[in-house]
């Protein structure tokens, strides 16, 4: 009996601080070993960067940007934050969505994840410092005009926690965050992932788990409290969550949305925690990011193969100037990118989720956005 309980306990503890660690090769990153890639007709390049966080740990990062003669150095940039068992490879699809709009993407392996240093993840407690290191690099090296963030699961929690610290962030996209780590742990212990710890024992067991994690991984689970951060965060936020999520229940995003102090929107969709995100969610994200980045995202990258191979600037997204213009510009900026296969120039195909956008979806989202603006 006690041996079985210890095994269940170790399973729960590992679920929190040591999930399976993502492994990958350079070929699995957009651009492969050369770093060069194209999203449809839009060329880009990946630059791999190594940074040290405040604890002296090495962070493996990748900076993706469009290329061309007239592309500025200080592009708007979205920092992508992966889930607790993810890596910077999780940003591949985001690169396909944003590069055609002239928005750079910075992806990192958090400490304890992927190829970065560190043994454990901390569900946002220490990862928020890793993001601070990345944002500081982008600003100090003048690699960005403005920063937005996009995170999934644990990564969404990191975005929330960092957003409270740095109100200069333009906006945050929060895909399936949890509202409180202790609450999530109680739910995991009483029914999720095959664990069946009796409810009557939960309070004392969570207290013991708190002490054992602090001893093993050196952080306090009570410090991962995005619900508290939401109450004092004012950055524009777009929440998204699957209605059938059986790992982080939908009520977590509902609670965060209700508590969030800034401009906000919540999008629900069919599917679970790891399901393919629907096209209308990605459409909403693209419109949201173009809106919050505003004048910083007014340049679109050059198409390859035009004017002697250098291309020419395209019309800016201009989403904030009206619903009709926003629909047309967004459709133009997305055309040929997520709909088509991303192709690394070395010949390594990268196929993000197939997205089917319709004029009706684009118009609905643009009108909703205009309505939100008019009621502020």
């Amino acid at each position: 009996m006690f041996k079985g309980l210890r095994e269940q306990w170790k399973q729960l503890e590992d679920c929190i601080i040591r999930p399976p660690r993502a492994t990958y090769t350079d070929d699995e990153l957009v651009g492969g070993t050369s770093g060069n890639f194209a999203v449809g007709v839009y060329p880009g390049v990946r630059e791999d960067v190594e940074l040290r966080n405040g604890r002296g740990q090495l962070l493996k990062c990748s900076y993706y940007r469009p290329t061309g003669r007239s592309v500025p150095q200080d592009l708007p940039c979205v920092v992508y934050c992966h889930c607790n068992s993810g890596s910077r490879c999780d940003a591949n699809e985001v690169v396909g969505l944003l590069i055609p709009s002239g928005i750079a993407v910075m992806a990192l392996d958090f400490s304890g994840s992927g190829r970065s240093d560190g043994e454990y993840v901390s569900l946002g407690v220490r990862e928020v410092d890793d993001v601070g290191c990345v944002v500081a690099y982008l600003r100090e090296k003048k690699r960005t005009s403005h920063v937005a963030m996009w995170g999934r699961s644990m990564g969404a929690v990191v975005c929330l926690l960092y957003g409270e610290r740095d109100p200069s962030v333009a906006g945050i996209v929060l895909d399936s965050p949890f509202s409180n780590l202790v609450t999530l742990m109680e739910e995991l212990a009483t029914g999720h992932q095959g664990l069946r710890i009796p409810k009557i024992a939960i309070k004392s067991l969570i207290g013991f788990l708190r002490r054992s994690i602090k001893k093993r991984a050196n952080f306090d689970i009570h410090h991962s409290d995005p619900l508290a951060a939401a109450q004092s965060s004012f950055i524009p936020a777009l929440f998204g969550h699957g209605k059938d999520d059986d790992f982080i229940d939908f009520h977590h995003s509902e609670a965060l949305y209700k508590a969030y102090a800034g401009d906000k929107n919540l999008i629900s969709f069919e599917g679970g925690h790891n399901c393919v995100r629907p096209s209308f969610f990605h459409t909403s994200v693209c419109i949201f990011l173009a809106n919050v980045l505003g004048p910083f995202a007014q340049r679109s990258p050059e198409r390859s193969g035009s004017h002697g191979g250098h291309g020419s600037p395209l019309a800016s997204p201009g989403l904030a100037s009206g619903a009709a213009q926003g629909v047309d510009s967004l459709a133009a900026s997305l055309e040929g990118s997520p709909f088509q296969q991303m192709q690394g120039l070395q010949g390594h195909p990268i196929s993000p989720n197939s997205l089917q956008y319709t004029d009706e979806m684009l118009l609905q989202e643009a009108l909703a956005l205009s309505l939100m603006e008019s009621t502020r």
Side-chain angles (χ1 to χ4, degrees):
M1 174 181 175
F2 292 106
K3 181 179 179 182
L5 183 59
R6 284 197 299 270
E7 290 174 352
Q8 279 193 325
W9 193 260
K10 180 65 163 51
Q11 184 182 357
L12 178 58
E13 193 175 89
D14 285 346
C15 182
I16 302 298
I17 63 173
R18 187 59 280 158
R21 191 164 188 155
T23 60
Y24 58 89
T25 66
D26 286 349
D27 283 338
E28 295 174 76
L29 296 169
V30 174
T33 55
S34 74
N36 298 311
F37 63 91
V39 184
V41 296
Y42 300 97
V45 66
R46 186 191 83 244
E47 301 174 19
D48 293 331
V49 180
E50 294 184 347
L51 304 175
R52 294 244 176 226
N53 63 18
R55 301 181 301 281
Q57 295 169 321
L58 193 67
L59 303 177
K60 298 286 189 174
C61 313
S62 292
Y63 178 72
Y64 301 89
R65 61 179 178 86
T67 57
R69 183 171 53 188
S70 64
V71 175
Q73 177 75 6
D74 58 340
L75 291 165
C77 182
V78 170
V79 177
Y80 185 79
C81 301
H82 63 73
C83 66
N84 70 329
S85 58
S87 73
R88 54 182 162 157
C89 289
D90 295 0
N92 286 0
E93 184 178 30
V94 174
V95 173
L97 286 165
L98 300 183
I99 289 294
S101 296
I103 300 173
V105 176
M106 184 68 156
L108 72 153
D109 289 346
F110 286 125
S111 54
S113 299
R115 297 180 182 176
S116 290
D117 289 349
E119 187 175 359
Y120 301 110
V121 301
S122 62
L123 278 299
V125 176
R126 291 194 293 243
E127 288 81 4
V128 67
D129 297 326
D130 297 341
V131 167
C133 177
V134 167
V135 172
Y137 164 81
L138 291 170
R139 290 172 173 164
E140 289 171 3
K141 299 297 183 181
K142 302 186 184 304
R143 303 303 302 269
T144 182
S145 57
H146 221 56
V147 173
M149 301 179 68
W150 184 345
R152 185 159 173 170
S153 192
M154 178 188 77
V157 169
V158 175
C159 293
L160 261 171
L161 296 176
Y162 184 77
E164 183 192 26
R165 294 186 181 184
D166 185 356
S168 68
V169 171
I172 50 178
V173 178
L174 309 169
D175 184 342
S176 309
F178 57 82
S179 59
N180 179 274
L181 180 54
V182 172
T183 300
L184 177 63
M185 289 166 60
E186 290 174 350
E187 293 172 355
L188 291 172
T190 57
H192 290 201
Q193 305 297 308
L195 300 174
R196 293 293 186 271
I197 297 174
K199 288 185 179 182
I200 195 172
I202 288 299
K203 292 294 183 183
S204 58
L205 291 178
I206 290 296
F208 180 76
L209 184 58
R210 178 189 182 189
R211 292 190 293 273
S212 64
I213 286 179
K214 193 170 185 178
K215 181 178 180 180
R216 181 179 172 191
N218 196 31
F219 76 93
D220 189 341
I221 59 175
H222 283 204
H223 291 167
S224 184
D225 189 5
L227 189 60
Q231 298 173 40
S232 55
S233 297
F234 298 91
I235 296 169
L238 177 63
F239 292 84
H241 211 119
K243 296 177 182 177
D244 306 313
D245 195 327
D246 62 356
F247 184 71
I248 299 176
D249 194 272
F250 183 72
H251 76 77
H252 285 270
S253 278
E254 288 183 309
L256 287 167
Y257 174 78
K258 183 177 180 180
Y260 197 79
D263 292 335
K264 57 193 175 183
N265 194 12
L266 171 60
I267 298 175
S268 62
F269 44 82
E270 302 297 328
H273 194 69
N274 297 312
C275 75
V276 174
R277 296 312 187 232
S279 59
F280 72 84
F281 176 67
H282 285 124
T283 306
S284 301
V285 170
C286 289
I287 292 176
F288 171 79
L289 289 173
N291 183 57
V292 298
L293 290 170
F296 303 102
Q298 290 303 303
R299 305 182 188 93
S300 292
E302 299 173 352
R303 294 175 183 264
S304 59
S306 303
H307 297 279
H310 293 292
S312 59
L314 300 177
S316 65
L319 292 172
S321 62
Q325 180 182 354
V327 171
D328 293 341
S329 299
L330 179 65
S333 67
L334 292 179
E335 182 179 3
S337 54
F339 310 91
Q340 299 179 359
Q341 182 183 68
M342 281 200 298
Q343 182 71 37
L345 298 185
Q346 284 190 305
H348 299 293
I350 303 165
S351 301
N353 298 336
S354 178
L355 307 180
Q356 299 298 322
Y357 296 93
T358 67
D359 292 340
E360 291 79 12
M361 287 179 181
L362 292 169
L363 181 59
Q364 182 183 32
E365 295 297 333
L367 288 174
L369 183 64
S370 297
L371 180 61
M372 289 170 59
E373 289 293 324
S374 66
T375 57
R376 288 179 182 176

